[in-house]
Amino acid sequence: MSGTEETVLLTTAAFDARFPNTNQTKHCWQNYVDYYKCISARGEEFAPCKQFFKAYHALCPNEWISKWDEQREEGTNPSNFSV
């Protein structure tokens, strides 16, 4: 370790009126898709894209993210990630 410590602030996703119900599966999926569409259009350093990243990491189980990442890399994910 280099002797420096990094503090990570963990927060949950903000309320989204499109997903008012308790089940947040669609909210999770939409943020995942929106993140990859956003970085496709604007690049990974575009600050608004990072909000989608934080939201889907807060809402989605890690197993789902891993599965979707594999599908996206293989080109078998059912979503269109291009803008």
Side-chain angles (χ1 to χ4, degrees):
M1 205 159 171
S2 65
T4 61
E5 291 184 23
E6 184 177 336
T7 302
V8 177
L9 177 62
L10 300 176
T11 60
T12 190
F15 175 75
D16 188 332
R18 299 176 297 171
F19 307 99
N21 299 322
T22 304
N23 185 338
Q24 294 295 302
T25 302
K26 290 180 183 177
H27 190 186
C28 151
W29 171 253
Q30 191 61 56
N31 277 284
Y32 181 85
V33 172
D34 288 346
Y35 172 71
Y36 285 100
K37 284 185 175 188
C38 185
I39 64 170
S40 176
R42 301 291 186 142
E44 291 185 29
E45 297 306 314
F46 188 59
C49 294
K50 293 178 182 182
Q51 183 58 38
F52 294 126
F53 180 87
K54 290 177 187 176
Y56 85 76
H57 274 279
L59 294 165
C60 303
N62 292 334
E63 294 81 19
W64 293 5
I65 295 170
S66 295
K67 178 181 176 182
W68 296 338
D69 285 345
E70 287 175 19
Q71 290 175 336
R72 189 176 37 79
E73 291 167 7
E74 295 168 352
T76 60
N77 191 294
S79 186
N80 178 6
F81 295 103
S82 59
V83 179

